[in-house]
Amino acid sequence: MGEGELIWMMAMLMALQAFGIDAILPALDDVGLALGAPGNERQFVIGVYLLTAGLGALIPGALADRFGRRPIVLASIGVYIALSLASALVTSFEALLAVRAAQGFFGAGIVALPPAIIRDRVGGDKMARMMSLIFVIFLMVPAIAPSIGELILTIGDWRAIFLAMAVQGAIVAAWVYFRLPESLAPQNRQPIRPRAIARNMGAAMSERSAIGYIFGSTVVFGALFGFINSSQQLIAEGFGRPDIFPVVFGICAGSMALASWSNSRIVERFGARRVSHTAVFAFIAVASVQVYFAFSHEETLWEFVPLMAINMALLGFIGSNFGSIAMTPFFHIAGAASSIQTFVRMTSAALIGAAIGQAFDGTARPLALALLASGVACLLLILFSEKGRLFAPPQAQQRYPSGMRS
C-alpha cells in the first residue's frame, strides 16, 4: 500500500468515531424528547461514548502487539457496525447510553491503532507530517457531519443517523479487509502476558520526554470536548441560533482541518516541537481574548465564532505533533504505547469535557475559562517534559527508553 492510500484509510478509520460523535449533535433535542432526557443530560450521548472509548483503548494495543494490527482493526469495526444498528433500535435513554458505552469501549481500536500502524512505518517529524495529513481528512468529517445529520433528519428521524453510521462502517471495513497489509513485523510481536503488557505500558507512561505531551494534549482536548458536548446548547440556547448550528460547527472544525494541512507542509522543515510550542502560546493568547469578551459584555455569536475557530485551528498544530512526539521513543512497543496513551488522553479529556459541558450556564463563560486554564496547564506540562527548554530544532534521533522488554 502506498503512503497516500494508507493516510486516507487511517483517516477514514478514525473518522468513524468522529462521525459517530458529531452527526448526532443536531438530533440531541429530538433524542431528548423521544427518550425523556431533559436539559444537560442529553450531552451524555456524546460524553459516555468518549469516556468508554478511552477506557477501551487499553485493550486493542496489547492484542495488536500479539496478533497483528489488521485482525484487531477489523474486529473493532465489526463492533462499531453492530452497535450502531443496536443504537437505532433502543426504546429508552438508559438503553441508548448503555449501547453507546459498549460501542465506545469495544470499538476503541478504530482510534487507538492508526498511530501504531503509522509508527510501524515511520517516526519523528515524518510521522508528525503523516499524522497531520490524516487529521486533515479526519477533521473534514466533524466539519460536515452535523450538516449530514441535519440532512438525514429531513428525510428520517434520529435513528436513521445511527443507520448511516453502520453503512459508513461497512464501507471502511471492506476497504480495510481487501487493502490493508499487516504492518507488525514478526520479530516485534509481544506475548500476551499481563506483566509484559503492564511493563510496556508503564514504559510508555514513564518516559519524561513523552509524558508532558500526553497530558498536555489531554487538557487542551478536554477543553475541546467541553465545546463539543455543549456546542448545540451554546449555539441554540446561548446565542439563539439553532438554525445555523451545523454551519458554525463546520467553520470551527474546518479550521482544524486547514491547520492540520498547513502543519503537514511545515512540520518537517521546522520540527514538531517548534510548531507545537508556538501554537500553545498562541492558544493561551486567544483564550485570554475569549475570556475578555465572555465577561466584559454580552458576547455575540460573531465575536465567539472567529475566536473559537482560531483556537480550534491552533489545536490542529498541537494534536498530531504532540502525539508524534509522545510516540517517537516507542517503536518496539507501538501498540501498547498507542493504547495507553490513547486511554489516558481519551478518558481524562472526556471527564474534563463532561465537567465543562455540565457547567454550561447559557453563556460561553465556562468554556472560555476552561480554554485558558487548559492552555496554561499544557504549557507547564511541556516545560516539564523539555526540562524548561522550548522550541527545539527538528529531531533527527530516536531514543528508546530502557526497560521495554517482551
Side-chain angles (χ1 to χ4, degrees):
M1 179 183 290
E3 180 179 301
E5 184 180 359
L6 179 64
I7 287 171
W8 273 95
M9 181 183 288
M10 294 301 100
M12 295 311 298
L13 186 61
M14 295 174 68
L16 292 177
Q17 186 187 75
F19 189 81
I21 294 168
D22 300 318
I24 198 66
L25 287 173
L28 287 182
D29 286 344
D30 294 344
V31 172
L33 288 172
L35 302 179
N40 289 350
E41 288 185 18
R42 74 193 84 165
Q43 296 179 16
F44 292 138
V45 175
I46 307 301
V48 72
Y49 183 92
L50 290 170
L51 178 60
T52 57
L55 293 171
L58 280 174
I59 297 174
L63 295 175
D65 278 347
R66 173 62 182 88
F67 298 108
R69 319 303 189 203
R70 178 182 154 87
I72 308 305
V73 167
L74 285 169
S76 297
I77 304 174
V79 169
Y80 178 90
I81 294 169
L83 293 179
S84 293
L85 295 173
S87 296
L89 300 175
V90 299
T91 57
S92 71
F93 189 65
E94 292 75 15
L96 177 60
L97 293 184
V99 172
R100 291 281 284 175
Q103 185 179 35
F105 186 87
F106 293 106
I110 61 177
V111 172
L113 292 182
I117 293 170
I118 298 298
R119 186 65 190 93
D120 287 339
R121 292 191 171 206
V122 298
D125 292 332
K126 186 170 184 181
M127 180 180 177
R129 180 185 65 82
M130 290 184 68
M131 290 302 297
S132 293
L133 290 170
I134 288 171
F135 268 78
V136 173
I137 303 164
F138 162 64
L139 290 169
M140 290 179 185
V141 174
I144 63 174
S147 296
I148 295 175
E150 193 80 48
L151 178 62
I152 293 172
L153 290 175
T154 64
I155 57 176
D157 63 6
W158 57 271
R159 298 178 189 274
I161 295 175
F162 289 112
L163 295 177
M165 289 168 53
V167 171
Q168 183 193 17
I171 293 171
V172 175
W175 189 9
V176 169
Y177 181 81
F178 288 109
R179 292 292 299 157
L180 181 66
E182 181 54 60
S183 62
L184 179 64
Q187 65 270 22
N188 287 334
R189 290 181 182 262
Q190 303 283 333
I192 298 183
R193 294 201 300 265
R195 285 177 123 184
I197 294 169
R199 184 164 51 244
N200 289 341
M201 288 187 173
M205 287 301 300
S206 60
E207 170 67 10
R208 180 169 179 166
S209 66
I211 196 168
Y213 289 94
I214 297 168
F215 286 103
S217 60
T218 294
V219 293
V220 292
F221 278 92
L224 172 63
F225 288 172
F227 169 66
I228 293 173
N229 284 336
S230 59
S231 59
Q232 189 270 338
Q233 289 172 269
L234 179 60
I235 304 304
E237 299 171 15
F239 292 111
R241 293 301 305 270
D243 54 315
I244 61 170
F245 166 69
V247 175
V248 170
F249 195 89
I251 290 171
C252 293
S255 70
M256 287 185 70
L258 180 60
S260 291
W261 178 84
S262 301
N263 186 67
S264 73
R265 310 293 293 178
I266 65 174
V267 68
E268 285 192 279
R269 177 180 176 184
F270 296 105
R273 283 173 169 82
R274 284 179 173 174
V275 173
S276 59
H277 295 175
T278 301
V280 170
F281 279 101
F283 185 93
I284 293 171
V286 175
S288 299
V289 178
Q290 288 179 281
V291 171
Y292 170 78
F293 277 115
F295 282 88
S296 64
H297 61 277
E298 187 174 346
E299 187 177 19
T300 68
L301 179 63
W302 302 116
E303 290 171 336
F304 171 81
V305 171
L307 292 171
M308 193 66 218
I310 292 170
N311 251 350
M312 288 184 70
L314 291 168
L315 290 177
F317 291 103
I318 293 173
S320 57
N321 290 330
F322 273 28
S324 298
I325 294 168
M327 281 291 291
T328 292
F330 307 114
F331 174 74
H332 296 297
I333 55 165
S338 180
S339 267
I340 188 63
Q341 291 181 13
T342 302
F343 163 76
V344 170
R345 275 193 295 259
M346 288 289 292
T347 53
S348 301
L351 291 171
I352 293 170
I356 296 168
Q358 291 301 302
F360 174 70
D361 61 358
T363 74
R365 291 175 180 177
L367 177 62
L369 289 172
L371 289 166
L372 179 57
S374 69
V376 173
C378 180
L379 177 60
L380 294 175
L381 287 161
I382 296 172
L383 287 168
F384 169 77
S385 269
E386 298 292 348
K387 300 179 180 179
R389 297 186 298 270
L390 299 179
F391 305 106
Q395 301 297 296
Q397 292 184 325
Q398 300 173 3
R399 299 191 301 109
Y400 300 94
S402 60
M404 294 187 300
R405 304 186 184 280
S406 61

